[in-house]
Amino acid sequence: MAVPLIETKHLKKYFKTPAGLLHAVDDVSFQINPGETLGVVGESGCGKSTLGRTVLRLLEATGGEVLYQGENILRYSKRDMKKVHLNMQMIFQDPFTSLNPRLSISSIIAEPIKVCGTLKDKGAIQEKVHELMEVCGLPERYVNTYPHELDGGRRQRVGLARALAVDPKFIVCDEPVSALDVSIQAQILNLLMDLQDSKGLSYMFITHDLCVVRHISANIMVMYMGKVVEYAPKDELFRHQAHPYTKALLSAIPTTDLSRRRERHALTGEVANPINPAPGCRFAPRCPYADERCKQPQELKQVAPGHYAACIMCQ
């Protein structure tokens, strides 16, 4: 059986606050195979971005494991992690603040090559920079420009080129198109998919846009307040939602098809406190189907082949 490229086991990331521990990521397990994309969706504050940063060890995990090709990288030293980061990179949400305004575009793309020492010769580095710019759709005339001189779409292409500079196998895409116009979003998404096909890349694609995640992902993981509430192949998830929260998310997708009436799943109630949360279902205060059983811990269980949900009502 093939070993997943990326796997997490019961991964946790808690933050200390004056009121107690904030459970940003709580007992999250998933797998990403080579050449696949896992879409991670959920409303703002559910822990998506924290999960991505914890997987890359930009944030240190509170507990659990992060396996890269079967090896737990949470045990690695800083020197060992520097080698791992050659294969694991990140594209950030804001294409402006993630770029150094004091550096030219060519310097930004060349920086990870120099820091990681993958190339030493200046000529070879510049040749690599020009190659990356061409691959990412950046004309050569932008080589000496600065981030403030580019629009959002081109800045995000610079961020993608920077991530590709060390030839990674896995990239965390943290809402890379949320700040872009719809037409530019499509260009960046298609570029990511073309690069995946040509280079065999694996992605963790973090977003709150279900239309986007359906377009790019093989599997989709739904998070709510640090917990995974549903996990399924994308076609299965859009065909059959098991968890009430997933149903509410999908029912909120805008549609132009006025001939077909859709069932709406409006959410009411108060969001539970993520600091020292109770052991039961965290969605229960907003769930129309909640009962006494929801006060018990909910575990992901299979409801269909490859489809898992953490809800007592659908198991």
Side-chain angles (χ1 to χ4, degrees):
M1 186 176 179
V3 176
L5 182 68
I6 297 290
E7 182 177 7
T8 67
K9 295 182 179 180
H10 309 291
L11 186 63
K12 299 177 182 179
K13 177 58 184 176
Y14 302 161
F15 294 97
K16 291 182 179 179
T17 73
L21 290 176
L22 191 154
H23 291 219
V25 175
D26 202 356
D27 199 24
V28 172
S29 301
F30 63 82
Q31 296 181 352
I32 303 177
N33 294 318
E36 285 188 354
T37 299
L38 172 66
V40 183
V41 299
E43 60 194 43
S44 297
C46 71
K48 307 184 301 294
S49 296
T50 301
L51 174 62
R53 285 166 168 77
T54 306
V55 168
L56 295 181
R57 283 192 70 182
L58 301 181
L59 295 172
E60 290 298 332
T62 304
E65 296 179 306
V66 177
L67 306 180
Y68 174 72
Q69 293 183 330
E71 295 289 332
N72 184 9
I73 63 173
L74 298 185
R75 300 173 181 169
Y76 282 15
S77 64
K78 289 185 178 180
R79 177 179 293 183
D80 291 334
M81 277 308 302
K82 187 174 181 180
K83 297 176 182 177
V84 172
H85 280 147
L86 293 175
N87 293 311
M88 303 170 68
Q89 290 292 307
M90 188 166 190
I91 304 171
F92 296 91
Q93 178 177 357
D94 190 333
F96 186 63
T97 58
S98 64
L99 303 178
N100 189 333
R102 297 176 180 272
L103 296 181
S104 67
I105 299 308
S106 61
S107 297
I108 289 171
I109 299 172
E111 188 175 26
I113 301 174
K114 295 175 181 177
V115 169
C116 296
T118 54
L119 294 174
K120 302 291 186 181
D121 181 69
K122 289 185 178 180
I125 293 174
Q126 286 305 308
E127 184 178 344
K128 179 73 171 181
V129 168
H130 287 291
E131 177 190 329
L132 289 166
M133 289 181 66
E134 182 179 355
V135 166
C136 293
L138 289 165
E140 191 174 345
R141 66 178 182 272
Y142 293 124
V143 69
N144 291 319
T145 57
Y146 288 80
H148 72 273
E149 299 178 85
L150 303 180
D151 59 28
R154 291 190 177 91
R155 289 176 194 146
Q156 198 59 286
R157 290 175 187 270
V158 175
L160 176 55
R162 179 180 60 182
L164 293 172
V166 290
D167 297 317
K169 297 179 180 178
F170 171 65
I171 300 178
V172 173
C173 305
D174 186 8
E175 302 202 39
V177 297
S178 63
L180 308 178
D181 294 337
V182 174
S183 60
I184 306 301
Q185 284 186 12
Q187 294 176 19
I188 298 298
L189 288 173
N190 290 332
L191 175 58
L192 286 168
M193 295 172 73
D194 290 342
L195 289 168
Q196 185 173 47
D197 291 339
S198 62
K199 296 179 178 293
L201 296 171
S202 298
Y203 298 137
M204 175 192 288
F205 195 93
I206 299 167
T207 183
H208 61 269
D209 190 329
L210 284 157
C211 295
V212 167
V213 83
R214 185 178 191 177
H215 181 66
I216 196 170
S217 303
N219 300 299
I220 298 176
M221 185 170 74
V222 183
M223 291 186 67
Y224 183 80
M225 288 188 61
K227 286 280 193 180
V228 178
V229 296
E230 193 158 0
Y231 181 100
K234 66 174 181 181
D235 293 335
E236 166 68 13
L237 189 79
F238 277 83
R239 184 169 52 247
H240 171 235
Q241 304 90 49
H243 198 282
Y245 177 63
T246 310
K247 292 178 181 178
L249 284 181
L250 267 68
S251 73
I253 298 176
T255 180
T256 57
D257 186 1
L258 302 180
S259 63
R260 187 171 57 128
R261 294 192 64 182
R262 294 192 304 169
E263 183 181 1
R264 307 296 293 185
H265 297 268
L267 297 179
T268 59
E270 295 292 329
V271 178
N273 191 344
I275 299 175
N276 298 330
C281 177
R282 294 177 190 175
F283 183 63
R286 303 172 71 188
C287 181
Y289 311 108
D291 60 23
E292 288 299 314
R293 295 176 297 172
C294 300
K295 294 182 180 180
Q296 302 301 317
Q298 307 292 308
E299 296 182 1
L300 276 176
K301 294 185 179 180
Q302 187 166 262
V303 296
H307 189 166
Y308 299 84
C311 178
I312 196 69
M313 308 299 293
C314 57
Q315 294 172 0

